[in-house]
Each structure stands twice: as C-alpha cells, then as structure tokens.
Amino acid sequence: MIAAAGIDVLRPRHLKDALMMMRVAADEGHPLVPMAGGTDLFVTLNAGQKPAARYLDLWRLDKLRGVRADGKRGLWFGGLATYTDCIDSKAVQKRLPILVDAARQVGGVQIQNRGTLAGNIENGSPAADGVPVLMAADARVVLRSLDAERTVPLAEYYTGYRKTVRQPDELIVAIEIDVPEGAQRFDKVGTRAAQAISKVVMAAVGHRVAFGSVAPVIVRAHKLEAYVAGGGRDVAEAQRLVREDVKPIDDVRSTAEYRRRVVENLVASWIGGLDGTPRRGKARGLDKAPASR
Amino acid sequence: MKIKLHVNGKKKSVEVPPMKRLLDTLREDLGLTGTKEGCGEGECGACTVLVDGAAVNACLVPTCQVDDAELRTVEGIARGGGKEAARLHRLQRAFLDHGAAQCGICTPGMLMAALALPKKATLDEIRAGLAGNLCRCTGYMKIYDAVAQFLDGERA
C-alpha cells in the first residue's frame, strides 16, 4: 500500500483550467506532473518511489478522448486515447494496422484499457511498445500551453533517457499522423507476448524504421533508412549500418550483444521482404540468434 | 476527498485520499476483500475489477478516477437469495464444474476479466482477454474450458 494521504492532486474538468494550473505551478517553480491512466505512475509509487509533490489528473478532460480519421491518410489521437481505443478504431485498423498489433501486446487488457499513447510517449520508457510504431509513422506530438500550441515530430521529442522537449507548463493534447505510404511491419521480441517488457521492438512503415529497447530512448534508424531509401538492399551492409544506429546495453532483460544480434536479424528479415528482392550478402539467419538471456 | 460511486449496483460514498489505490479503497474502506492483491504492479491481474464495464487493475487506479463510476467486483456477481448453488453466477458455476480454481488467489480477477469478454469470444480471444491474468496452478486449460462453457451458455 502506498502512503496516499500525503499526495496532492488537482482535478480540472476543462482543458483551459488544466493549462492554467500547469502555468501557475510552473511559474511558482513547482511544476505539476500530469497523470493520465496511471498505469506507469502507480507501478513506481507501489514500488516505493517517492511521489512528486503534486499531480494533475487529466482523466476528466473528455475533450482529449478518442481516435479519429483525419483527411485521406491521417489519424488523430487525443491526449487521453488509450491502447484499447486504438485496437477498436476502424481508422487505425485500416490505416496503421501495426499500431493495433503493438497495442494488443501492451500489457494485458487491463493495461490497454487505461494506458494512453500520450502517457507512454511522455513517460519516455525506451521499452514502450507503441512508441516505435508512432515514430516509424512520422507521428507529431501536439503540445499546448495556456497561450500557445506547437507541434514536434516524435522523432525529435526525446532529449535523453526519460527526458523530453515538453516544457513544464505544456500538456500533450494530441498525436497526429499522416500515415506514410509503404508496407508496415511490427516485431516485438520478448519473453512472452502479453505482460512482458520487450527485449527489442522494431517498427517499419515504408522505408522508415524505429527501434525500442536498444538505446536510452526510442530511436529512428537514420543510417539504415537512408541506405534503403536510396535503393540499397545488401543485407550485410544494412546490418553494418544499423549497428551504428542503435546503442543497446546489458540489463535485467537481456544483453547488448543479444539485442544487437536480434536487431540485425530483424533487419535481414525486413530487407528480405522489401519489394520481393532476394537476400544478398552474409545475412545472419533468424535461427542463429544465441539463446535469450 | 469524498468519492461517490456505484459498487455492485449500490450507491456508496467514501472519504479517502484522492491517490489512494482503488484496491485499498475497496478492501479497507468498503470491506470488499474479494479483490486480491497479487503483484501490486499490473502484471498479475489478481486485482481485476470492472470500471464502467471495462477491466482494470485496481492496484494501478487512483480512487479519484472512479468518482461517479460504476464498479463491479467479485462480490457483485452471484445473485442474492436461495440455496448457495443456485445463487452462484453461471461463470462461477463453470469454474467449479471444470476445476478451474486451485489455490484461488487469481480466481476473483479471472472471473472479472472473463466477464469483460465479448459474448462471441473465440478460444484465441479468451486467451488474449485473459493474458493479463496469471495463474500459477492450473496451467490455464481448465480456466479456458470454464470460460468457453460459460460463453457457450450465454450465446444459447
């Protein structure tokens, strides 16, 4: 049980009030911590982590709910859109089906019902399963403060481990995507599909590729992308380039070497499936990965 | 903070800190100890309850977020009156028939997660719907059998 009695929480009903509270707290030098579904926050609180001084509960801001189609290829996700909202959305099923695949593997149904895309983005875990999909799809994060709104490409949102460009008076009010053309692919390598934090996640949309769990933040594989976008299909060269794009570490879930190997294998498999070209070069087969550690 | 909610069809009001876990409010303030704490980190699903019909982990929900909500816990699924066997919910009955409960710690959460499944759920959908509920005794097959039998009955 957590010592809930000492934790302060503000509960606005309207977005404007929420933004005012964020501004006042930021100006006072004691920024509020925004809380959506609480699924990440309560894990840390239950584990005994010291709570922030004050939270801002976003759950009543109905304006931030929902997912909808936007234009010909676009998708709009409110700041409180949950993984279940993504799974249930006809527009997402049609336009970005790999987000549905990823959403189904985020925790179990109980987590999917409360966990939000925006919360997952802002929490900044390098192992978030949904975020690589959004990043490979060129998602944009819409940040609003009391008097301004700005849009930041998700690929430029992180400045370091669990650090983001969000200012203390800003809230993520939406995530927008114009889904790029091209084949989509999502791979999660973990101990178990549900309820397991991934060892490596790869998402690809056309020639855009993002990886999770292989760097301090979710990353786009820029060198690999440039090579493939320029027509490169040599597997060994692609694997060499992707090694420069990722910086995996040893941790409780896996080792850096295992992660690098899995990344290379996923890249080989991905390139092999691109425009039906036969594989060339020395690809490391998917069946040759060392045992998971 | 004063929180008003509907629990198993009854209006309730509690005075609790806003960030108190729903799990603790249920067990300590409402006396509903049927909901169990397993891991306390959203991995095991033992504390699953329904909030406005959706399955959630009560260990990860602040009580302030269920203000005005409709809650259903394992205490609310059996019908009142009559002999015990007749009072049981059909899902509980199916668990008994199939030996789907052993040590029992996961059972309240399993029941609640199963109640949130769509009536037409296939075996794969039952597996996916219960993927957030861990059972260390049964090996799951008896649980899937019980849930499948229950859903068959609901469709009939």
Side-chain angles (χ1 to χ4, degrees):
Chain A
M1 196 186 97
I2 61 169
I7 309 176
D8 202 6
V9 55
L10 300 179
R11 307 193 60 238
R13 271 193 188 280
H14 304 288
L15 182 56
K16 208 172 173 194
D17 299 338
L19 294 169
M20 177 65 90
M21 291 169 185
M22 292 293 285
R23 168 61 57 82
V24 169
D27 285 350
E28 287 170 350
H30 303 288
L32 294 162
V33 175
M35 170 174 76
T39 50
D40 271 320
L41 174 66
F42 270 79
V43 172
T44 59
L45 292 180
N46 291 348
Q49 185 167 311
K50 196 169 169 286
R54 276 195 305 173
Y55 293 91
L56 182 83
D57 178 16
L58 306 172
W59 206 246
R60 299 202 292 183
L61 303 179
D62 289 335
K63 213 178 159 184
L64 301 188
R65 292 199 182 280
V67 176
R68 57 175 186 259
D70 188 15
K72 265 196 167 163
R73 304 191 57 83
L75 291 168
W76 179 94
F77 303 87
L80 285 174
T82 63
Y83 283 101
T84 296
D85 292 337
C86 296
I87 293 166
D88 291 345
S89 161
K90 290 271 189 297
V92 179
Q93 289 166 15
K94 201 169 168 196
R95 297 181 175 191
L96 192 57
I98 54 169
L99 183 58
V100 176
D101 298 340
R104 287 185 191 281
Q105 295 186 43
V106 174
V109 169
Q110 295 92 331
I111 300 290
Q112 291 156 14
N113 282 338
R114 303 293 284 195
T116 62
L117 294 185
N120 223 185
I121 289 172
E122 183 58 30
N123 190 48
S125 165
D129 288 338
V131 179
V133 173
L134 300 174
M135 203 181 273
D138 279 341
R140 304 178 299 273
V141 180
V142 184
L143 289 165
R144 193 180 294 174
S145 68
L146 193 57
D147 46 27
E149 184 173 287
R150 62 183 178 127
T151 300
V152 182
L154 178 57
E156 295 163 24
Y157 196 70
Y158 298 109
T159 56
Y161 177 66
R162 292 188 186 261
K163 288 199 171 66
T164 74
V165 298
R166 186 181 68 84
Q167 295 300 302
D169 65 340
E170 289 179 316
L171 288 173
I172 298 179
V173 292
I175 296 129
E176 297 172 342
I177 302 181
D178 287 314
V179 183
E181 305 261 357
Q184 301 180 8
R185 176 172 172 145
F186 174 76
D187 293 283
K188 170 174 172 168
V189 178
T191 314
R192 183 176 187 270
Q195 300 292 77
I197 297 173
S198 50
K199 299 174 195 284
V200 176
V201 166
M202 177 176 125
V205 178
H207 295 151
R208 297 159 182 80
V209 185
F211 286 100
S213 292
V214 293
V217 299
I218 310 270
V219 289
R220 281 281 288 264
H222 294 296
K223 289 182 178 170
L224 171 67
E225 287 182 22
Y227 176 68
V228 171
R233 293 292 184 275
D234 183 83
V235 171
E237 177 62 6
Q239 289 177 324
R240 189 186 70 75
L241 289 167
V242 81
R243 280 181 90 101
E244 295 177 19
D245 283 322
V246 300
K247 291 181 186 61
I249 56 167
D250 294 341
D251 68 10
V252 291
R253 280 185 293 281
S254 191
T255 64
E257 185 45 39
Y258 177 79
R259 288 182 161 118
R260 258 192 296 270
R261 184 74 75 86
V262 170
V263 165
E264 289 176 5
N265 291 344
L266 291 173
V267 166
S269 167
W270 173 61
I271 294 215
L274 280 176
D275 25 82
T277 44
R279 290 189 198 187
R280 284 178 297 151
K282 274 192 190 170
R284 283 173 167 166
L286 277 171
D287 52 345
K288 288 187 186 149
S292 162
R293 277 162 251 177
Chain B
M1 169 181 181
K2 190 172 184 179
I3 312 262
K4 286 188 204 157
L5 31 77
H6 288 80
V7 186
N8 300 326
K10 288 184 193 127
K11 269 190 189 173
K12 299 275 179 184
S13 164
V14 287
E15 182 73 38
V16 295
M19 290 288 272
K20 186 164 185 169
R21 302 185 305 175
L22 174 57
L23 172 65
D24 298 326
T25 299
L26 287 171
R27 292 180 58 89
E28 295 167 4
D29 299 273
L30 292 162
L32 297 170
T33 53
T35 304
K36 307 303 182 203
E37 173 158 20
C39 66
E41 56 180 33
E43 292 283 348
C44 78
C47 65
T48 302
V49 299
L50 305 186
V51 175
D52 295 326
V56 304
N57 291 315
C59 74
L60 299 182
V61 176
T63 304
C64 63
Q65 290 190 346
V66 297
D67 198 14
D68 289 330
E70 192 86 40
L71 257 67
R72 204 161 173 216
T73 69
V74 71
E75 288 90 346
I77 67 177
R79 292 176 201 86
K83 283 183 192 162
E84 190 180 343
R87 287 208 307 267
L88 286 180
H89 189 277
R90 282 164 57 178
L91 177 62
Q92 290 171 312
R93 191 61 174 279
F95 266 59
L96 278 181
D97 290 349
H98 287 270
Q102 286 186 32
C103 89
I105 194 88
C106 76
T107 310
M110 284 287 180
L111 291 167
M112 300 319 291
L115 286 175
L117 289 168
K119 296 273 178 283
K120 290 180 179 164
T122 61
L123 181 58
D124 275 350
E125 286 164 345
I126 293 171
R127 287 169 181 270
L130 299 182
N133 294 75
L134 302 186
C135 170
R136 302 291 79 167
C137 306
T138 63
Y140 299 101
M141 292 315 299
K142 300 293 181 190
I143 293 172
Y144 298 150
D145 290 346
V147 174
Q149 180 198 294
F150 161 69
L151 292 175
D152 275 347
E154 293 293 287
R155 287 191 290 258

